[in-house]
Amino acid sequence: MSQGDFVRRLQQPGSGVYTTASGWQKVHLDFLLFLLLAVLTAFGLFVLYSASGGSEFYVKRQAMWVAIGFVAMFITAQISPRLLARWALLPWLGGVFLLVAVIFFGTGAKGAQRWLDLGGFRFQPSEVLKIAVPLMLASYLGNRHLPPRFAHVVSALALILIPAGLVIIQPDLGTSILVAASGFFVLFLAGLPKRYLAIAATGIAVAVPMMWFYLMRDYQKQRILTLLDPQSDKLGAGWNIMQSTTAIGSGGLHGKGWMQGTQSQLDFLPESHTDFIIAVLAEEFGLMGVLLLLLLYLLVIGRGIVIGLTAQSNFGRLLAGSIILTFSIYVFVNMAMVSGILPVVGVPLPLMSYGGTSIVTLMLGFGMLMAISTEKKRGV
Amino acid sequence: MIDDYALKDPQRDYRIFFARLVFCGLIVLLLMAVLAWRYHHLQISRYADFAARSDSNRILVRPVPPPRGLIFDRNGVLLADNRPSFNLTIVTELTRDLDGLVQELQALVTISENDIDKFRKQQQRRRRPYQPVPIRIGLSQEELGVLAVNEHRLPGVQVTAEQLRHYPLGEKLAHVVGYVSRINDQEIRTLDPVRYRGTHMVGKTGLEKKYENQLLGEVGYEKVETNARGRVMRVLERVEPVPGRDLYLNLDSRLQDVAFQQLTGERGAVVVLDAVTGGVLAMVSTPSFDPNLFVSGISHSTYNALLNSPDRPLFDRVLMGQYPPGSTVKPAYGLAALQEGTVSAGYRTFDGGFYQLENDERKYRDWKRTGHGWVTLKDAISQSCDTFFYDLGFRMGIDTMAEYGRLFGLGVRSGVDMPGEAEGIMPSRAWKRGARGQAWFHGDTVNTSIGQGYTLATPMQLAVMTDRLANKGLIRKPSLLRKLIDTQLLTQPESRRIEAAEEHWAFIHQSMEEVVHHSRGTAQAIGKNIGYRMAGKTGTAQVVGMKQDEEYDVEKVAKRNRDHALFVAFAPAEDPRVAVSVIVENGEHGSSAAAPVARAVVDAYMQHFPVESLQLTDSGGALE
């Protein structure tokens, strides 16, 4: 009698409830995570109202997206992780197909083609890849021997770099790095041997200067130069970062009060309801508000890590770990760029920034996390 | 799917995963700590810095320019007014593509190359950031509408309202009132930057310049909150400006108008003084120009045309034109001779048509080649006998002549409240030594005695001389300003007098009366059909020196070399209330060209200031 049998037997009384009871017990939902997400999105709508200059239009639209996101999360949470793993290739293929479509039919702004126009509804396929890539990777590596062998690493890299490359040529460096990161997290968590990590580090060290000279567009270079010296271009690229740090700094400890931020209300702050919304929060709610937000994020991340650590399968562990780490990276990159310690890349603040695709994608990810966290309910 | 399944070691897999996820979790914790540190740094350590920057971002202290004081004539007629004008301005700091924006604006409203030139110049000048720079002044209602519709897509473009100076009477008062215009590069260095904050205009000429300090007012300011595009969202605090003080002039625009009409088509000047108060009732210099051109910024071509015109319309002949006064000085020297005992009232001399100094071949000719025969001082004045005055001047001597000349205001600035007055010349030994480095000759004395030679006087100085004759020696400054809005009528300080016996004054007055009213008076033509007694004196000033024995031939002499015609007068002769000087450049004869102008002006004065009304209403204006 193995230990596994023993454990299973102990669960037997409970499992009877699962199979017979109807209602909540059948629902796959992580209540702590759900609560935290509800608080964060509500906080987000609250800040958005101020950031959009008291616009009900923006808040209503975003509330609609939040609702759609929660529904998507709820539905995803009900899907068995095994099913997810089995069909992981589908979203990946679909995502890559859409990225190719963007190249030919896409619309965009400021010299970048990022959107597909689906009859008045704009859709950004690169967002899908943020979920599809880790899902694919987790599915691929989860069924194999860990740590991955060389051949698997090569295949995994292909699965990462094909979509990342397609995003980079849009061009959208920020998203492409994040898509690639979500895939690399799976590789890393799967136990990628240290020598590969060393090779990757060397590769990046070589690639960065190459990118600077051959791949990066002028505006991207400008963003990095601006980061180093925002004063160099006060009314151009430096404007955003000067205004956002001014907004944050002038918030002080307690902030200027909701709807009272002069930087955001008087339009000094650019993109105040999308990528720069943290500056509005920081200006109006001060450091206290920022720390509260960080705490909420940390709780979400902590819960995500626990879900990863307690997941039942390698697929679940890898996917959960990747999703929550990618989420953490979003939070960090956004808050760091707005406060002037990273160059400005187009990364929204998760659950706070205005934008439908972003919030639905995130909620899909959290839905998967919940599916993983409640896998136990399904029995092994 | 099935590869190496047998070799899978779930425990080992999990250990690696666990370690790596926990490691990543710690990294995330570290990153969050970095964020917390960064936000703490911005919001706590550097709070004061950013709070100040945020305030300076939004709070703009804007100067509120004071309305410039208005200028009225003695009857309350508005001579200088402020009118709202809408200007198209650009805050260059808020524009990304200035050239593109200018092109876009050109599609909406008319903007000339000249406007753009001026804009560029002003834009390159040192100025405070976020200060709008005007590109078009005086927008029409339609243009305002077009701009309002398109404003949202034109960042940095603002329509500002400004009070713009306007001169309703235009060229009639251009030299007196002067004009304001944009502060230029030199002025910006000398003007008090605090007082002129928000003011773009400064008085350049005339009263606008003279009374700049009174007219300017005190700048106010307002603290406003602006958004990122420089639009004012609300006013946080406002200190009202103190308006400039209004000027009330002694000038009478009706007389000014008459004098201006009289000189239309001529180059000349008229000064009318109130012989009771010393106030300037009119001062006209023709040709003139439209001062309103300078307010909104005159174009180069227009300005050059004015500047280079041979008629010199920008030149104020009243104060800056220096002419030989000719015979108009004779009454003054006559009085000096009587007072000094050089001649008596009954003294007679024979005029044979010329005068000669002892031991000198040169003949000093009379304007009448046949001579006037036996003449007294009275005849010499009324018929303007030169020979008599050659003799009189020679016997009186240059020193006495110079002394009296200066007492009558020749060679001395009148002190009228206007900028840029010329001094003229009352020749004397000292003057000639200083200016020419030469000794004084008898011939100089002879020339001086008929107001020729070195003597130069402005029309204003001639009017002052006439006023002093009329008032029997009262010395005072003429004054344009009657009062400021918040002051009493100006009073003149205790005045000096030219000391002379009453009978001498009376004699000179009678002599001057005969100029107009005696049948042989040089200006008897204007004495016809006149309802009052006028005392005057004609004058003719040579523009080109005549050689000995050379005949002055009107036909031969080009128009611009013809003599200047002068006339001075006061009226009524028995109780002088008005003193006038007239000069018509190249008008040839004082009697025919200048005297009728004086007659018309004095007629107008008599009509507008009848004796009864003067005593009733104007007594308050008299300077006691």
Side-chain angles (χ1 to χ4, degrees):
Chain A
M1 187 182 282
S2 70
Q3 199 181 356
D5 288 341
F6 178 69
V7 172
R8 206 178 301 144
R9 198 178 302 147
L10 274 181
Q11 283 184 338
Q12 221 102 60
S15 65
V17 178
Y18 297 141
T19 47
T20 55
S22 57
W24 277 121
Q25 294 300 326
K26 264 193 156 176
V27 173
H28 294 260
L29 203 66
D30 188 299
F31 283 102
L32 178 59
L33 198 53
F34 179 82
L35 191 71
L36 288 169
L37 294 174
V39 170
L40 268 169
T41 47
F43 193 18
L45 289 174
F46 188 60
V47 177
L48 176 68
Y49 183 73
S50 172
S52 60
S55 157
E56 284 186 23
F57 171 79
Y58 279 114
V59 173
K60 276 184 183 162
R61 244 180 113 90
Q62 181 73 353
M64 182 192 81
W65 281 114
V66 167
I68 293 172
F70 271 95
V71 170
M73 178 188 77
F74 186 81
I75 293 169
T76 315
Q78 310 314 312
I79 304 171
S80 150
R82 289 179 183 209
L83 204 64
L84 283 175
R86 195 173 303 149
W87 295 102
L89 189 62
L90 214 58
W92 187 89
L93 279 176
V96 169
F97 172 77
L98 289 174
L99 285 178
V100 174
V102 164
I103 296 173
F104 294 105
F105 310 110
T107 57
K110 296 179 194 166
Q113 269 192 331
R114 293 175 188 173
W115 289 278
L116 276 180
D117 205 330
L118 306 174
F121 167 77
R122 289 212 304 181
F123 175 75
Q124 199 172 346
S126 55
E127 289 290 330
V128 175
L129 273 306
K130 288 179 182 172
I131 284 297
V133 167
L135 183 64
M136 184 65 226
L137 266 282
S139 163
Y140 178 73
L141 292 174
N143 281 327
R144 281 166 179 79
H145 181 86
L146 296 185
R149 293 173 172 189
F150 177 72
H152 299 151
V153 172
V154 172
S155 312
L157 281 177
L159 291 173
I160 295 169
L161 295 179
I162 289 168
L166 287 170
V167 176
I168 230 175
I169 60 173
Q170 285 183 348
D172 187 349
L173 185 64
T175 308
S176 119
I177 287 174
L178 288 169
V179 166
S182 64
F184 284 121
F185 284 134
V186 180
L187 260 179
F188 179 75
L189 293 174
L192 188 70
K194 288 184 177 116
R195 61 178 184 280
Y196 289 106
L197 292 175
I199 291 167
T202 318
I204 290 168
V206 175
V208 165
M210 300 267 285
M211 270 172 39
W212 177 269
F213 288 113
Y214 298 112
L215 210 54
M216 286 176 77
R217 309 280 172 119
D218 280 344
Y219 79 95
Q220 292 170 329
K221 292 183 189 178
Q222 188 57 49
R223 283 175 179 176
I224 291 169
L225 290 175
T226 300
L227 180 78
L228 300 175
D229 180 16
Q231 302 279 344
S232 66
D233 186 12
K234 277 188 187 174
L235 294 171
W239 166 268
N240 291 4
I241 215 66
M242 273 182 55
Q243 296 301 344
S244 68
T245 50
T246 303
I248 294 166
S250 63
L253 183 61
H254 300 291
K256 298 174 183 172
W258 188 56
M259 302 286 290
Q260 301 297 313
T262 54
Q263 286 287 106
S264 32
Q265 301 302 329
L266 297 171
D267 299 340
F268 286 99
L269 195 62
E271 305 288 338
S272 61
H273 62 290
T274 56
D275 290 359
F276 281 68
I277 198 166
I278 183 65
V280 179
L281 184 147
E283 186 185 20
E284 301 192 345
F285 300 99
L287 185 61
M288 305 302 278
V290 173
L291 291 180
L292 173 67
L293 184 74
L294 278 181
L295 180 69
L296 286 170
Y297 278 139
L298 273 178
L299 289 173
V300 169
I301 292 163
R303 179 65 193 150
I305 285 175
V306 168
I307 290 172
L309 291 177
T310 57
Q312 302 294 296
S313 62
N314 275 344
F315 166 75
R317 289 172 196 142
L318 295 178
L319 182 58
S322 169
I323 286 172
I324 206 65
L325 289 178
T326 310
F327 177 80
S328 314
I329 289 301
Y330 287 169
V331 171
F332 176 76
V333 169
N334 178 277
M335 288 182 67
M337 80 180 193
V338 176
S339 63
I341 49 179
L342 279 185
V344 176
V345 289
V347 176
L349 185 62
L351 306 174
M352 302 291 286
S353 288
Y354 177 79
T357 325
S358 158
I359 202 137
V360 171
T361 317
L362 282 165
M363 295 308 270
L364 279 173
F366 283 113
M368 290 178 191
L369 266 184
M370 290 185 180
I372 292 162
S373 82
T374 56
E375 193 176 9
K376 276 172 281 190
K377 290 184 184 179
R378 302 179 192 275
V380 179
Chain B
M1 289 277 238
I2 49 163
D3 74 314
D4 303 324
Y5 204 70
L7 290 174
K8 259 189 114 163
D9 178 356
Q11 293 295 325
R12 184 169 161 273
D13 289 359
Y14 186 70
R15 273 204 313 277
I16 294 173
F17 170 79
F18 185 90
R20 293 209 167 177
L21 187 54
V22 168
F23 171 75
C24 287
L26 290 174
I27 297 282
V28 167
L29 209 57
L30 183 72
L31 292 178
M32 294 299 157
V34 167
L35 287 181
W37 165 82
R38 175 64 179 173
Y39 281 75
H40 178 273
H41 173 73
L42 292 177
Q43 300 192 281
I44 307 298
S45 311
R46 295 186 60 197
Y47 168 69
D49 183 14
F50 284 114
R53 197 186 287 181
S54 151
D55 278 350
S56 70
N57 242 350
R58 72 185 175 98
I59 296 176
L60 191 65
V61 178
R62 294 198 310 187
V64 182
R68 196 173 172 85
L70 306 178
I71 303 178
F72 298 95
D73 86 341
R74 68 187 298 126
N75 306 311
V77 175
L78 200 51
L79 308 181
D81 187 10
N82 299 317
R83 287 190 177 179
S85 158
F86 295 96
N87 302 340
L88 179 60
T89 64
I90 298 178
V91 178
T92 50
E93 282 84 351
L94 295 178
T95 59
R96 302 261 154 123
D97 171 21
L98 189 57
D99 295 324
L101 182 67
V102 170
Q103 273 178 9
E104 233 175 306
L105 286 173
Q106 272 182 306
L108 297 174
V109 299
T110 41
I111 298 172
S112 68
E113 288 306 311
N114 194 32
D115 289 332
I116 293 175
D117 279 355
K118 275 194 273 185
F119 170 76
R120 296 266 178 225
K121 251 184 245 166
Q122 243 184 305
Q123 178 220 338
Q124 278 150 18
R125 215 176 271 170
R126 214 161 49 82
R127 68 203 158 78
R128 298 189 318 123
Y130 287 92
Q131 189 128 334
V133 180
I135 185 163
R136 230 318 282 289
I137 287 169
L139 294 166
S140 70
Q141 287 298 323
E142 295 92 276
E143 286 174 325
L144 286 174
V146 170
L147 287 169
V149 169
N150 291 284
E151 201 172 12
H152 66 277
R153 58 180 192 85
L154 302 169
V157 171
Q158 289 180 5
V159 173
T160 60
E162 183 183 34
Q163 294 285 320
L164 214 54
R165 203 64 155 167
H166 179 73
Y167 304 105
L169 298 187
E171 58 176 1
K172 285 175 196 164
L173 281 145
H175 295 110
V176 186
V177 172
Y179 56 82
V180 297
S181 189
R182 298 260 156 201
I183 295 170
N184 66 29
D185 287 337
Q186 284 109 51
E187 287 157 345
I188 219 164
R189 269 178 248 130
T190 55
L191 294 175
D192 178 356
V194 175
R195 287 193 71 196
Y196 282 86
R197 203 182 292 154
T199 302
H200 310 297
M201 300 286 191
V202 65
K204 302 269 177 162
T205 62
L207 292 169
E208 292 274 28
K209 181 178 185 179
K210 177 73 184 178
Y211 290 108
E212 175 66 23
N213 275 334
Q214 286 77 7
L215 289 166
L216 178 62
E218 279 168 45
V219 66
Y221 69 87
E222 57 182 7
K223 261 188 189 173
V224 295
E225 185 175 85
T226 62
N227 70 6
R229 285 178 297 281
R231 174 145 314 156
V232 173
M233 306 307 278
R234 62 195 166 123
V235 176
L236 302 173
E237 194 184 320
R238 185 176 164 105
V239 173
E240 291 296 334
V242 179
R245 295 157 78 187
D246 297 346
L247 305 186
Y248 288 84
L249 305 185
N250 284 314
L251 196 118
D252 188 310
S253 57
R254 298 170 301 187
L255 295 183
Q256 183 83 7
D257 192 43
V258 170
F260 189 82
Q261 299 302 336
Q262 287 293 317
L263 284 184
T264 300
E266 299 285 355
R267 282 166 287 112
V270 172
V271 180
V272 185
L273 295 181
D274 184 333
V276 180
T277 66
V280 178
L281 289 170
M283 50 187 278
V284 170
S285 172
T286 58
S288 187
F289 60 95
D290 181 3
N292 293 304
L293 289 174
F294 287 85
V295 178
S296 52
I298 192 166
S299 73
H300 279 291
S301 55
T302 317
Y303 181 67
N304 284 333
L306 284 173
L307 196 65
N308 298 328
S309 162
D311 291 341
R312 304 179 71 193
L314 296 177
F315 183 67
D316 181 8
R317 291 172 163 78
V318 169
L319 295 173
M320 290 171 224
Q322 302 183 87
Y323 306 90
S327 306
T328 57
V329 298
K330 282 175 183 167
Y333 293 155
L335 178 95
L338 287 173
Q339 179 64 19
E340 296 298 317
T342 312
V343 294
S344 66
Y347 173 83
R348 289 202 314 167
T349 184
F350 187 82
D351 170 21
F354 62 89
Y355 175 78
Q356 268 183 310
L357 289 166
E358 280 176 54
N359 311 320
D360 192 346
E361 283 300 299
R362 184 180 165 128
K363 287 179 177 170
Y364 295 90
R365 295 197 174 280
D366 195 281
W367 63 269
K368 196 171 179 182
R369 296 196 60 86
T370 55
H372 292 88
W374 285 101
V375 283
T376 62
L377 177 57
K378 192 175 279 182
D379 301 328
I381 289 174
S382 65
Q383 296 167 33
S384 202
C385 172
D386 293 336
T387 313
F388 185 94
F389 273 90
Y390 293 141
D391 172 55
L392 177 147
F394 178 71
R395 293 202 286 122
M396 182 160 56
I398 183 62
D399 298 333
T400 310
M401 249 197 300
E403 184 198 333
Y404 276 87
R406 294 183 71 82
L407 284 173
F408 276 102
L410 298 174
V412 182
R413 286 195 183 88
S414 74
V416 68
D417 42 349
M418 285 281 284
E421 187 185 7
E423 195 172 25
I425 296 170
M426 179 65 233
S428 66
R429 293 178 203 276
W431 171 83
K432 195 178 179 193
R433 229 182 349 265
R436 300 288 163 103
Q438 289 171 1
W440 187 264
F441 300 117
H442 290 317
D444 296 332
T445 309
V446 172
N447 280 330
T448 304
S449 65
I450 60 156
Q452 291 284 163
Y454 299 115
T455 318
L456 288 177
T458 66
M460 176 57 78
Q461 285 174 323
L462 295 182
V464 165
M465 176 187 77
T466 311
D467 174 55
R468 289 176 191 177
L469 284 166
N471 281 290
K472 300 182 176 173
L474 184 64
I475 294 176
R476 64 184 165 196
K477 285 182 192 172
S479 148
L480 273 160
L481 186 65
R482 187 169 163 84
K483 67 182 197 104
L484 290 165
I485 185 166
D486 48 359
T487 59
Q488 294 296 307
L489 288 174
L490 301 178
T491 52
Q492 295 237 355
E494 202 57 37
S495 302
R496 290 192 299 138
R497 282 194 159 272
I498 302 167
E499 293 303 332
E502 171 61 29
E503 64 199 80
H504 300 327
W505 288 113
F507 183 88
I508 295 296
H509 281 205
Q510 285 160 24
S511 309
M512 290 177 74
E513 218 176 315
E514 290 194 356
V515 171
V516 179
H517 296 284
H518 192 275
S519 59
R520 289 168 72 187
T522 48
Q524 52 81 25
I526 66 162
K528 291 178 180 128
N529 304 320
I530 193 166
Y532 52 90
R533 305 287 286 180
M534 182 195 264
K537 182 70 195 82
T538 54
T540 303
Q542 279 179 18
V543 174
V544 188
M546 292 289 129
K547 289 200 191 94
Q548 187 74 8
D549 294 326
E550 189 183 345
E551 191 71 33
Y552 179 89
D553 184 348
V554 175
E555 300 306 315
K556 279 190 195 159
V557 180
K559 168 86 175 158
R560 295 219 173 250
N561 290 336
R562 291 179 195 164
D563 293 346
H564 295 325
L566 295 100
F567 191 70
V568 298
F570 60 83
E574 64 282 6
D575 177 23
R577 300 203 321 263
V578 63
V580 182
S581 78
V582 177
I583 181 159
V584 178
E585 284 184 19
N586 313 120
E588 298 206 78
H589 297 295
S591 52
S592 57
V597 175
R599 164 81 196 266
V601 170
V602 177
D603 280 355
Y605 175 86
M606 290 300 174
Q607 183 200 329
H608 294 307
F609 297 88
V611 180
E612 315 82 63
S613 78
L614 184 84
Q615 282 166 346
L616 284 174
T617 63
D618 209 54
S619 55
L623 297 172
E624 307 299 338

